[in-house]
Amino acid sequence: MTSSLRLRAGLVSIALLAAFLGVWHLATRSAGPTAAMSPEYAKLMGLTATQGKSAMPGPLDVGAKLWEHLKRPFYDNGPNDKGLGIQLAYSIARVGTGYLLAVLVAIPLGFLIGMSPLLSKALDPFIQVLKPISPLAWMPLALYTIKDSSISAIFVIFICSIWPMLLNTVFGVASVRKEWINVARTLEVGTFRRAFTVILPAAAPTILTGMRISIGIAWLVIVAAEMLVGGTGIGYFVWNEWNNLSITNVIIAILLIGVVGMLLDQILARFTRMVTFPE
Amino acid sequence: MSTFDNPFDPDRNLRAGCVCGQHQSAAEHEQASALRCDPVESEEKRYEGVVASAVMRAMFPQDVARRAFLKSVGASTALAALSQFFPIKTATEVFADTGTPEKKDLKVGFIPITCATPIIMAAPLGFYSKHGLNVDVVKTAGWAVIRDKTINKEYDAAHMLAPMPIAISLGLGANAIPFTVPAIENINGQGITLAMKHKDKRDPKDWKGMKFAIPFDYSMHNYLLRYYLAENGIDPDTDVQLRSVPPPEMVANLRADNIDGFLAPDNICQRAIYDGVGFMHLLSKEIWDGHPCCSFAASKEFITTAPNSFAALTRAIVDATAYASKAENRKQIAEAIAPANYINAPVTVLEQVLTGTYADGLGGVKTDAKRVDFDPFPWQSFAVWMLTQMKRWGQIKGDVDYKAVAEQVYLATDTKKLMTEMGLSPPESAYKSFAVMGKTFDPTKPDDYVASFKIRKAS
């Protein structure tokens, strides 16, 4: 039963994709030569102007270009032209660093706040104000104070991915069942032991949910940050191709950003399943 | 006449007075005609020329005698004779040997537009390595970022808009940090591009209510567009909307019908034409022929901490600029700077910009070899003009010491020394008068100039 459902779902997915690609292909077909122009003039103009080619590339253009990129993902033609594999590696490394720093700060701090109702109430307004700030708003400030663009990018990842983790940790720790804590108290378990053996396992699913939201945000942020700062990374690649007005390459980058984001999310989802317990 | 000229040419004048006889000195003649920097085939040849000139001058203090000598024996015999008792080769080597750079690995930031041509091409065409440097040219996402990264010392030097180092030194839009311009990157090289729907609206007097894009507030683009509009009776602050938009977005916005036109650096204007979304209304050269556009900038701190690196870098840039100024090299340059690592644009577009034979977007092919040109000398009068416009449009308030700022930021004296060493012929004075849309600018009376405009921001 489930396998037939999966099969049918797969078929519907493929049909939807085929329909989407078909419409896309038809919508972006070139309309044939446009207004008459002298050959000398036509030589100086692009295909959009001479062939009536749509400014939007078709699926075949994107496919061909994607294949070209996938064939050589790790080439290095100097500081401003590297393969997509290298660009993605730079971005993932930045996200990893900023995210790990955020984990190191958010989880202990969240624990502390969650265990103390006073701190929780006192810090809440600050967290609520800092949480909705866009990564791009932090960027000029970071560049100006840190004075290093790659550390600034990592800082922006850190500052944007810390809040969901922090809030979820606080929430998870604060909502551990009172009975469990009381049982631990009666058994005269020390504070540290209580934190690690009772609260942490109980709060773990909530904490990991926070981490999962955060990795998504971190991946969103890196593209924006790299577009602004430039240099390396998939965000820089998007900017560089935008600068060249190459929509084909921009679409390819968007596709890859989506795939990598999904993989990162799946990794965290697997961790979440590992720590979830039936009540 | 340029220092590149052959010292064994009997008609060449090695001393005061100019070739055409109408000017008091060669420099004045130079100023009257445009500054030329035509490089000889190789650096060595050029240095050899400079050394040989000095020797000839010492041997024949009288011009008449030298001419007679050269006419009677011929240039090659003269060179052979001279070499016999004066080691020109050795002298040239000693002359060309400059201090070792304190720092060899340098980072230079650039924005991917044709204005950055000398900075970019110096990497693939080997001008940096020729001067003993290992330079990474790093593409940067925008003017504000290039400013911040240069201030942060991530870049040792950078491509900036000509007015930016002045703005940074004055603390406009950033902390005041002394910045300098040892060389102008390019002259001319911008244009006003309009959306296709304005094909019949060529008179700027009809442009009220239109939306225009410029790349940055402290830019020649901003000042030239404002100047052009104001001369045509349009107040750029109230009659039209000027928006700061990154160049690639200008083309997309023009396509989306979101703006009516822009004054942008080139390859962007040509790109809009290439994609069929706009046409060239006017080259910026038609507003002011020979105007500066972008500059090569470094912080004062870099100059003091690494003077030899700075000198070598400037020499490489001046050298590349001289190479780029030659029309016959432009095709090769277009090919060298087109790949993704540099400008990342179609070669046809860059070729049209650099060679000056271009499609105008209305079905015609136009030719203007000086559409973009390269001339490194940082005229201080350029800086004074930019300051007058900053004042005119309310970017700086209160009194300005035009001359002091210009001389602090635009390093004409140092560049002159460097150019002379390289065998180029820089102009004597760092001030020259020029005309913008027919109105003459006198760099000694900047305040009168500002006051002479009918349309300006009340300060």
Side-chain angles (χ1 to χ4, degrees), chain A residues 41 43-46 48-49 55 77-81 143-144 147-149 227-229 236 239-245, chain B residues 112 137-141 145 149 152 154 175 248-249 252 255 271 273-274 340-341 344-345 352 359 361-364:
Chain A
Y41 180 76
K43 249 202 328 223
L44 300 175
M45 302 290 284
T48 329
N77 282 352
N80 310 306
D81 185 16
L143 265 181
Y144 205 81
K147 295 190 187 305
D148 183 300
S149 55
M227 275 184 93
L228 199 68
V229 178
Y236 166 75
W239 172 80
N240 196 15
E241 291 307 328
W242 172 221
N243 202 60
N244 184 19
L245 296 164
Chain B
V137 286
V138 187
K139 203 184 301 192
T140 313
V145 179
K149 282 193 168 186
N152 290 349
E154 273 181 57
N175 271 9
E249 286 174 33
R255 188 197 296 278
R271 186 60 194 260
I273 296 169
Y274 178 82
N341 200 19
N344 198 16
Q352 290 182 59
L362 297 169

Side-chain angles (χ1 to χ4, degrees), chain B residues 156-177:
Chain B
D156 298 289
H159 166 209
M160 285 188 185
L161 292 156
M164 267 173 72
I166 301 175
I168 297 173
S169 301
L170 290 175
L172 304 174
N175 271 9
I177 293 163

Side-chain angles (χ1 to χ4, degrees), chain B residues 197 249-259 277:
Chain B
K197 67 173 177 191
E249 286 174 33
M250 289 179 181
V251 179
N253 273 308
L254 201 65
R255 188 197 296 278
D257 216 5
N258 198 23
I259 52 173
V277 295

Side-chain angles (χ1 to χ4, degrees), chain B residues 172-247:
Chain B
L172 304 174
N175 271 9
I177 293 163
F179 257 70
T180 59
V181 175
I184 294 286
E185 267 312 280
N186 71 311
I187 56 175
N188 301 336
Q190 315 163 20
I192 298 180
T193 304
L194 295 183
M196 290 311 270
K197 67 173 177 191
H198 295 307
K199 191 150 76 200
D200 303 316
K201 246 184 168 178
R202 298 297 292 271
D203 187 351
K205 293 189 175 61
D206 305 332
W207 290 359
K208 269 197 182 159
M210 296 228 278
K211 286 174 276 187
F212 292 97
I214 47 162
F216 198 67
D217 280 346
Y218 303 102
S219 66
M220 287 303 291
H221 312 82
N222 187 15
Y223 305 142
L224 288 177
L225 182 59
R226 281 169 175 271
Y227 196 106
Y228 180 72
L229 291 169
E231 287 297 292
N232 283 292
I234 305 268
D235 186 329
D237 282 312
T238 53
D239 295 339
V240 292
Q241 196 189 77
L242 298 190
R243 296 184 190 165
S244 270
V245 174

Side-chain angles (χ1 to χ4, degrees), chain A residues 7 17-18 20 44 48 54-55 58 62 69-70 80 86 97 110 123 129 135 141 149 169 173 207 273 275:
Chain A
L7 189 71
L17 181 67
F20 170 69
L44 300 175
T48 329
S54 164
V62 174
H69 281 298
L70 292 180
N80 310 306
I86 297 183
T97 318
L123 290 178
V129 166
L141 190 69
S149 55
T169 309
V173 170
I207 294 176
R273 277 203 291 279
V275 297

Side-chain angles (χ1 to χ4, degrees), chain A residues 159-173:
Chain A
I159 201 81
C160 290
S161 58
I162 198 168
W163 311 116
M165 263 193 278
L166 188 65
L167 285 176
N168 267 285
T169 309
V170 171
F171 174 74
V173 170

